[in-house]
């Protein structure tokens, strides 16, 4: 079954510092991978997605992610973090047809941004 | 604003009761997914409807059911509620069903069972 693991439950970075959130996936074929962000009291917003092609994917709000098949990873990066980036970040992998292509989410990484 | 609406925003009810959560997908979206977000289980897929028909089931309890109406809005019915059903319930919609169709999430309904 498709699954993702986010090893870091919490991450704290200083404003202006770079950010990398880790995500490892488990899937036999080429995965459909997503990063979502959830601000307090809000729904989930898609940051970026990978289906195929270029392994470096650009998303909204200055985020990017790199798909590395050899490491089964899809890490999210941002060169300079803003205080407004504090939120919960979820990596997800798309399921197969038997699950209606529903998303399988990781447990999430909570990002705290300090001044 | 994703274009997906969910009502109510908050719901507080007692154990043993039944509630209905409502979701209106984005205009033109045929597929609706329901997810549950809880502290211990994280985000879990419950059920999917496509153009009025049930397409896939995830970790949905037998006490829970859903339907999608001709106008494509969907309702999730939760019955014989238990304390453990307290969670945030999200609805997501997509244009079609398929791996490369983006799912747009609503703001969620927070259910508290007392």
């Amino acid at each position: 079954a498709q699954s993702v693991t986010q090893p870091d439950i919490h991450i704290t970075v200083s404003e202006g510092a770079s950010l990398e959130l880790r995500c490892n996936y488990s899937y036999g074929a080429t995965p459909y991978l997503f990063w979502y962000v959830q601000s307090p009291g809000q729904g989930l917003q898609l940051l970026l997605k990978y289906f195929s092609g270029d392994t470096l994917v650009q998303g909204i709000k200055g985020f990017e992610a790199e798909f590395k098949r050899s490491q089964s990873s899809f890490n999210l990066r941002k060169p300079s973090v803003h205080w407004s980036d504090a939120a919960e970040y979820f990596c997800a992998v798309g399921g197969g047809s038997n699950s209606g292509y529903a998303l399988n989410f990781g447990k999430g990484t909570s990002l705290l941004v300090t001044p | 604003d994703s274009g997906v609406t969910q009502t109510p925003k908050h719901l507080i009810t007692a154990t043993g009761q039944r509630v209905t959560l409502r979701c209106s997908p984005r205009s033109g979206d045929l597929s609706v997914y329901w997810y549950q977000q809880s502290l211990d289980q994280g985000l879990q897929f419950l059920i999917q409807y496509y153009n009025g028909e049930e397409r896939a089931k995830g970790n949905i309890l037998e006490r829970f059911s859903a339907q999608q109406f001709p106008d494509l809005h969907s309702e999730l019915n939760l019955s014989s509620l238990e304390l453990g059903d307290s969670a945030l319930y999200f609805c997501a919609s997509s244009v079609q069903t398929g791996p490369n169709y983006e799912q747009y999430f609503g703001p969620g309904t927070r259910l508290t069972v007392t």
Side-chain angles (χ1 to χ4, degrees):
Chain A
Q2 306 88 344
S3 65
V4 294
T5 302
Q6 294 180 247
D8 305 304
I9 298 175
H10 300 283
I11 285 209
T12 301
V13 298
S14 300
E15 191 168 14
S18 63
L19 170 70
E20 182 168 30
L21 302 182
R22 296 183 292 163
C23 172
N24 294 101
Y25 68 89
S26 171
Y27 191 59
T30 299
Y32 292 83
L33 294 163
F34 307 81
W35 274 100
Y36 282 84
V37 61
Q38 182 180 24
S39 299
Q42 303 295 315
L44 289 92
Q45 182 182 24
L46 180 67
L47 289 174
L48 48 77
K49 60 193 177 191
Y50 172 77
F51 294 156
S52 63
D54 194 349
T55 56
L56 186 62
V57 180
Q58 301 297 320
I60 62 171
K61 304 185 181 188
F63 286 94
E64 67 177 27
E66 187 170 12
F67 172 67
K68 293 186 177 180
R69 185 186 299 276
S70 61
Q71 299 177 19
S72 297
S73 69
F74 187 57
N75 294 347
L76 182 71
R77 300 194 296 246
K78 187 169 185 178
S80 177
V81 169
H82 188 262
W83 64 266
S84 60
D85 293 323
E88 189 88 15
Y89 290 81
F90 293 94
C91 181
V93 61
S97 58
N98 60 343
S99 69
Y101 306 102
L103 299 172
N104 297 300
F105 287 90
K107 294 290 187 184
T109 297
S110 179
L111 174 65
L112 177 64
V113 180
T114 59
Chain B
D1 184 356
S2 67
V4 179
T5 60
Q6 290 186 248
T7 56
K9 195 166 185 176
H10 300 279
L11 200 49
I12 301 174
T13 189
T15 54
Q17 295 299 304
R18 172 189 169 95
V19 296
T20 297
L21 312 183
R22 181 187 170 104
C23 168
S24 293
R26 293 187 324 152
S27 177
D29 285 1
L30 298 177
S31 184
V32 170
Y33 297 82
W34 286 97
Y35 293 87
Q36 178 195 59
Q37 185 179 34
S38 63
L39 283 174
D40 51 345
Q41 298 293 327
L43 267 161
Q44 289 193 106
F45 165 62
L46 296 178
I47 196 165
Q48 183 216 8
Y49 276 80
Y50 177 76
N51 204 19
E53 294 186 3
E54 180 185 305
R55 273 296 181 96
K57 277 187 171 180
N59 297 321
I60 189 166
L61 299 172
E62 285 194 12
R63 300 183 284 109
F64 296 0
S65 65
Q67 51 186 326
Q68 187 179 27
F69 295 86
D71 67 352
L72 299 177
H73 90 271
S74 178
E75 293 181 356
L76 179 67
N77 302 295
L78 315 176
S79 61
S80 302
L81 285 168
E82 302 175 359
L83 295 177
D85 298 327
S86 295
L88 194 52
Y89 291 84
F90 286 110
C91 161
S93 73
S94 63
V95 171
Q96 290 283 339
T97 183
N100 54 336
Y101 291 101
E102 180 177 341
Q103 293 181 31
Y104 294 86
F105 282 76
T109 292
R110 181 167 295 283
L111 174 65
T112 303
V113 182
T114 62

